[in-house]
């Protein structure tokens, strides 16, 4: 599965709401458009919290021990290649 985070694209209603309420978390001059990284925060959680949650849930669901063999067969990737994809995804959380 893929898990996408809502991205407040510039000049959209979501962007405007997030900006007006002070919940937008990025440099407005150079907005980051990337579904992997959250850009909206709240008093309860940061944008980084949501990004980390997305990555860990993606990992938990897609790479459960009983699914590795199926995923390997379905994608044509070796277990080692799948492991590298998992590592790159977790490493990309550093922003």
């Amino acid at each position: 599965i893929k898990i996408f985070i809502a991205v407040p694209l510039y000049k959209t209603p979501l962007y405007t709401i997030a900006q007006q309420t002070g919940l937008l978390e990025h440099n407005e001059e150079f907005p980051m458009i990337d579904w992997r990284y959250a850009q909206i925060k709240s008093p309860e959680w940061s944008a980084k919290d949501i990004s980390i949650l997305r990555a860990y849930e993606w990992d938990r669901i897609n790479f459960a021990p009983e699914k590795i063999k199926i995923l390997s067969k379905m994608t044509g990737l070796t277990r080692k290649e799948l492991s590298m994809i998992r590592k790159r995804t977790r490493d990309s959380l550093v922003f």
Side-chain angles (χ1 to χ4, degrees):
I1 69 160
K2 292 279 188 183
I3 299 172
F4 297 92
I5 296 174
V7 176
L9 300 174
Y10 186 66
K11 294 190 178 184
T12 62
L14 180 60
Y15 182 92
T16 302
I17 292 167
Q19 185 181 42
Q20 290 174 349
T21 56
L23 300 178
L24 192 59
E25 194 173 287
H26 76 272
N27 181 337
E28 293 182 31
E29 290 183 41
F30 303 100
M32 180 175 53
I33 301 173
D34 192 327
W35 58 268
R36 295 174 296 168
Y37 305 110
Q39 297 173 30
I40 298 174
K41 60 184 176 177
S42 86
E44 291 83 27
W45 37 262
S46 71
K48 187 170 184 176
D49 292 338
I50 298 301
S51 298
I52 290 169
L53 180 62
R54 183 210 63 83
Y56 276 95
E57 283 302 295
W58 171 83
D59 188 75
R60 182 185 65 80
I61 293 166
N62 287 308
F63 295 98
E66 66 275 6
K67 293 186 180 178
I68 296 290
K69 186 176 180 180
I70 296 167
L71 186 59
S72 178
K73 184 177 180 179
M74 191 170 73
T75 61
L77 298 171
T78 66
R79 289 177 187 227
K80 185 175 181 178
E81 290 168 321
L82 289 172
S83 180
M84 293 298 292
I85 291 169
R86 291 178 75 187
K87 182 177 179 349
R88 280 195 309 264
T89 299
R90 290 189 305 267
D91 290 349
S92 74
L93 292 174
V94 179
F95 43 119

